[in-house]
Amino acid sequence: MTLAPTSALTHAPLASRAWLERGFLAAIVLTTFAYGSASSVQSSFAAIAFSGFAIVSALRPIGSAPIRVVRALAILLAAVLLGYAAFQTLPIPGAAVANGAWRSVTENIGTAQATISVAPGMTLDALPSLALPFLAFVGALVFFQGDHEALRLWRALAYFGAGYAVFGILQELFFPGQLLFETKRAYVGSLTATFVNRNTAGAFFGLAFLLNLGLGLRELRNVRLRSLVKKAAGLDIRWPGRHAQVLLHAFTALDCAVALFLTQSRGAVGATFVAAFVAVALIATRPMTRDQPVDGLDKWPRRAAAIGALLVVASLFALLAGRSAYRMQEGGVDDGRWCAFTSILQAIRDNWLWGAGFGAFQDVFPVYRDFACAGIFGVWERAHNLFLEGWLGLGVLFLAVLAVGYVTLAGVFVHGVRVRHKLRFAPIFGLAALVLATLHSIVDFSLQIPGFAVYFAAVMAAATTLSLGRARR
């Protein structure tokens, strides 16, 4: 008589955990499909959803001590950034740290409440988008603990990316003038899926490409290349065999690559190519298939496989990146953002210590804008450089938090590359994803769009868990 209640109690936590995982993944999907949740209203709803998951995650213990440290550090960094950004909006009468713009307001208009931020309302409005990636990262660490769960998260993110790419390609093919339920007004002729900006879409598809490529190379280690070619040529591929898994991931990676190239984003294509090249080069330092080395020539097959894999990546980008390459040749380096960077550096020089207010770039930049090279038309809402905008908005504190975050993630992935065996692909492609996001953030603002930021944060969490898992597995 006691078996049934005991069984129910045993399965209840498992069922609730499964529903939490599904809800978390659904939140990522909805944040992406809601036009990247780029508006303040959309980002606020996303922040509410992920805050709920973060609260629930606080009630669940983490079994791994290293992952507990990473989670605690992520919470600390988020608290520091959010706390300081909120502090920037507080009135500081007569304080030297208040932005000099308020003295000018007082002298010319009347007494004003001085704050560090030149636009306190904009700073408060931007807080949800600042919190979102941290909330997603912490939630993913807690809900997907252990190798099996983290690998399931990786697969879910990869397959969602591939499915989203199919959606984007079909929308561009049959409804090129549509942006989901709205009429497409910007970047007509470029694939953007549900993102407004093609560069953000390109970064998203580049990241999805890396996830699927990593899974494909992982499965490739379990097959012999000659057997794979023979079975594929003879159409003797049966599901769910290992050969079928390799071909499936090859197809999903190609699908994401096609969507990436159709965005015509020069920055995303270039960043993805560098990231993929780095990842394949690191993967190729160990045997990539189950083929046995030839006595006396054990190094040559591995080198041939490494060179071959790198050539495949280079050929794929050379073959399909024609439209992006054409834009690069047509536009060259004459891009208004390079001129803007000079103006932003001048603004940073005047606000390097305390910052001018997180999210207040649109209010600060016009004062420093060089109309000789940036023109007089158009409104610059973002800096097209995460690092410059972060420094301008939050001051030197942003650089300190950024350094701690990079050192932590890079250290985790390097550790994973050294100690993992069967799951070694995860830290390698986690590092590649970090390279992609970094390079693209130098020339664009993809990480400032919640739809991409939460997807990237979940990838970082999955790679972190798989990097800090049991050694030599």
Side-chain angles (χ1 to χ4, degrees), residues 144-186:
F144 298 89
Q145 299 183 38
D147 289 348
H148 180 72
E149 290 77 9
L151 185 57
R152 186 166 65 245
L153 173 61
W154 187 291
R155 290 185 184 277
L157 296 172
Y159 296 153
F160 165 57
Y164 187 64
V166 171
F167 165 80
I169 293 171
L170 292 177
Q171 179 180 253
E172 183 65 21
L173 182 62
F174 295 105
F175 306 99
Q178 285 293 119
L179 185 67
L180 197 56
F181 302 117
E182 298 182 358
T183 301
K184 195 172 186 178
R185 297 181 176 86

Side-chain angles (χ1 to χ4, degrees), residues 167-299:
F167 165 80
I169 293 171
L170 292 177
Q171 179 180 253
E172 183 65 21
L173 182 62
F174 295 105
F175 306 99
Q178 285 293 119
L179 185 67
L180 197 56
F181 302 117
E182 298 182 358
T183 301
K184 195 172 186 178
R185 297 181 176 86
Y187 302 109
V188 177
S190 296
L191 188 154
T192 62
T194 59
F195 289 103
V196 176
N197 188 285
R198 68 179 167 203
N199 300 305
T200 305
F204 186 96
F205 291 129
L207 183 54
F209 169 76
L210 291 178
L211 295 179
N212 285 280
L213 180 62
L215 290 175
L217 292 177
R218 175 178 182 262
E219 297 297 334
L220 186 63
R221 292 185 70 251
N222 298 320
V223 303
R224 290 184 171 86
L225 189 59
R226 181 180 300 178
S227 175
L228 174 63
V229 173
K230 181 179 179 180
K231 287 182 176 292
L235 300 179
D236 187 23
I237 302 294
R238 299 178 181 179
W239 185 263
R242 292 175 175 174
H243 299 90
Q245 297 257 358
V246 173
L247 295 180
L248 169 66
H249 293 123
F251 173 79
T252 55
L254 180 62
D255 162 47
C256 295
V258 170
L260 164 63
F261 298 132
L262 289 178
T263 64
Q264 302 185 67
S265 171
R266 296 167 293 179
V269 169
T272 303
F273 173 73
V274 173
F277 202 86
V278 169
V280 173
L282 290 174
I283 284 286
T285 57
R286 293 184 182 178
M288 300 180 65
T289 68
R290 290 187 61 192
D291 294 293
Q292 298 297 323
V294 180
D295 292 339
L297 298 174
D298 58 323
K299 293 183 179 180

Side-chain angles (χ1 to χ4, degrees), residues 353-440:
L353 182 58
W354 303 104
F358 179 73
F361 174 82
Q362 187 174 337
D363 298 271
V364 177
F365 181 69
V367 178
Y368 297 89
R369 182 171 181 172
D370 184 355
F371 298 102
C373 62
I376 60 175
F377 300 104
V379 176
W380 284 72
E381 297 179 350
R382 302 182 190 275
H384 290 262
N385 184 303
L386 172 71
F387 309 106
L388 292 182
E389 185 168 345
W391 191 359
L392 175 60
L394 291 167
V396 72
L397 177 68
F398 172 78
L399 298 182
V401 171
L402 190 71
V404 173
Y406 265 98
V407 169
T408 301
L409 287 176
V412 166
F413 297 149
V414 170
H415 169 80
V417 171
R418 294 175 58 189
V419 304
R420 298 316 305 252
H421 181 56
K422 291 183 179 180
L423 295 175
R424 185 171 175 265
F425 84 96
I428 287 178
F429 277 89
L431 186 62
L434 187 61
V435 169
L436 186 158
T438 300
L439 292 178
H440 197 252

